[in-house]
Amino acid sequence: MPKGYIPLAEARAAQADALAKAIAAISADIELLQGRGVLQGPGPIFLGIGASFAASAAAVWTLRSRAIHSWRLNAGEHPLPFPATSHPLIGVSQSGKSSETLATLNTVEERLRFSVVNAKDSPIEATSAVSISLGNIPDSYASTIGYTATIAALGMIAEAWDGGSIDVSWPAVSDALRAVEKSLASRIANLIVPLQTAQYVDCVGAAPSVGSAEVGSLLLREIARIPSTGMSTRQYLHGAMESAGQGVHIIFGEERELQLAQKLARAGHDVVLVSPLDIDEENHLAHIAIPSLTPTQRPIIEALVMQTIAVETAIARGLDPDAFVFENNDTKVA
């Protein structure tokens, strides 16, 4: 495990309490920035890579649902310099050292450089005109609390942007996380049985939850070393599901996702449906019940589900969840 990180077990155990503190502090910071007139004007463009890219999906959905133009871009797939724009760029990086995100931010006017980072005194924070800190929360290498706190920060930014208001239900999210965590603990051994021999996992989510599908597949690759892919429901329906075979399908959503889950399960494919709907389980179809939350909040609970599935699957397959196979020297700056 790289220096500066804590074990996954420790990070997961502290996640609910750390999230409660982070939500309170981030909410106060965002309201302060809103009062100063900082969070207004053309909608933001979120820049990230890996889990940080996934974390911004619900925020983009929320801004667009408020009729505010917003995008998320993979910082590693954009030629530089970034084109002239009136939209602020929000660099998302838990370490604050993601080389691709930093390089992109540095090509736009300083006043347009925003960031959401966890680590204090990081290069991305230093280059930003406006930076929101998660509070330097101790995190695991395969991010847990850093990821869920990032979702919270981006979600509250999306709610507050250009005259909006932060949803009053945010303080209850950590309690919802604890409840689902407790429920999962009693079932996880049975839920992961199909994953112990799975040749692949497809993770699929309704559009506000597509980030959960993306980060879920990333966690399964990082921790359990299972080839996995994450995509949105509508994209999956357009042909990708045709290759269903010796794998497992983890699906996030409601009515349309239930139809998809049932179709796969009734064709003999193992499915885990993560949904607030009241659903009867059936052969090949397991249901993880989660509370009905706002589009910005639900991905936090979905992330918890995927953390639990990935870690417990890794252990069942005889792997160390904190051990990574490869190290790259050009994804972080000094």
Side-chain angles (χ1 to χ4, degrees):
M1 179 170 41
K3 184 179 178 181
Y5 294 93
I6 62 175
L8 263 164
E10 185 179 334
R12 291 174 63 209
Q15 184 164 214
D17 290 342
L19 182 63
K21 293 177 182 177
I23 285 173
I26 294 166
S27 175
D29 288 347
I30 290 173
E31 288 178 346
L32 183 63
L33 290 172
Q34 190 181 34
R36 288 167 43 195
V38 173
L39 305 180
Q40 62 183 24
I45 300 171
F46 297 91
L47 283 173
I49 200 159
S52 295
F53 176 72
S56 60
V60 169
W61 175 271
T62 298
L63 282 158
R64 289 174 174 175
S65 70
R66 298 181 53 218
I68 297 173
H69 287 301
S70 180
W71 301 264
R72 61 179 182 139
L73 297 176
N74 186 320
E77 297 177 356
H78 209 290
L80 301 179
F82 195 86
T85 180
S86 60
H87 295 266
L89 271 61
I90 300 182
V92 184
S93 172
Q94 288 141 56
S95 69
K97 298 189 293 184
S98 298
S99 57
E100 305 90 349
T101 303
L102 178 64
T104 305
L105 282 176
N106 280 334
T107 67
V108 301
E109 296 177 62
E110 184 176 357
R111 66 181 180 85
L112 296 176
R113 299 178 202 163
F114 287 50
S115 62
V116 172
V117 299
N118 185 24
K120 290 182 179 177
D121 303 320
S122 66
I124 287 178
E125 180 185 41
T127 200
S128 302
V130 177
S131 185
I132 294 171
S133 172
L134 306 182
N136 216 37
I137 310 167
D139 196 15
S140 46
Y141 192 46
S143 183
T144 48
I145 177 57
Y147 180 76
T148 51
T150 297
I151 295 173
L154 299 180
M156 286 188 273
I157 289 171
E159 291 170 353
W161 194 271
D162 212 30
S165 57
I166 296 173
D167 196 287
V168 296
S169 63
W170 275 104
V173 171
S174 57
D175 288 335
L177 187 141
R178 289 186 186 95
V180 173
E181 193 171 39
K182 183 178 180 180
S183 174
L184 267 178
S186 64
R187 301 185 58 209
I188 192 63
N190 290 328
L191 287 169
I192 66 167
V193 168
L195 285 105
Q196 294 178 41
T197 57
Q199 294 183 12
Y200 71 91
V201 179
D202 283 344
C203 297
V204 181
S209 295
V210 67
S212 301
E214 292 168 353
V215 83
S217 66
L218 177 60
L219 286 168
L220 286 165
R221 284 176 174 270
E222 287 179 325
I223 299 173
R225 300 179 199 165
I226 303 175
S228 309
T229 304
M231 64 187 79
S232 70
T233 302
R234 305 310 302 187
Q235 187 79 347
Y236 195 64
L237 295 174
H238 280 262
M241 66 184 290
E242 294 301 317
S243 63
Q246 303 300 311
V248 174
H249 307 264
I250 301 176
I251 302 175
F252 305 93
E254 299 192 23
E255 286 82 3
R256 189 59 185 88
E257 287 69 35
L258 173 58
Q259 293 178 45
L260 170 61
Q262 290 172 334
K263 182 170 289 188
L264 286 165
R266 291 167 187 174
H269 304 294
D270 289 309
V271 181
V272 178
L273 177 62
V274 184
S275 175
L277 297 180
D278 185 11
I279 294 166
D280 291 327
E281 294 188 325
E282 54 188 81
N283 287 339
H284 299 291
L285 174 56
H287 174 225
I288 297 176
I290 61 173
S292 183
L293 301 172
T294 68
T296 52
Q297 296 169 359
R298 186 183 294 184
I300 292 174
I301 307 302
E302 294 168 342
L304 168 73
V305 170
M306 287 311 310
Q307 292 166 12
T308 306
I309 289 174
V311 169
E312 297 302 327
T313 299
I315 294 170
R317 290 169 71 115
L319 300 171
D320 177 358
D322 287 301
F324 276 54
V325 178
F326 301 105
E327 182 177 350
N328 298 300
N329 62 7
D330 61 347
T331 61
K332 307 294 181 187
V333 298

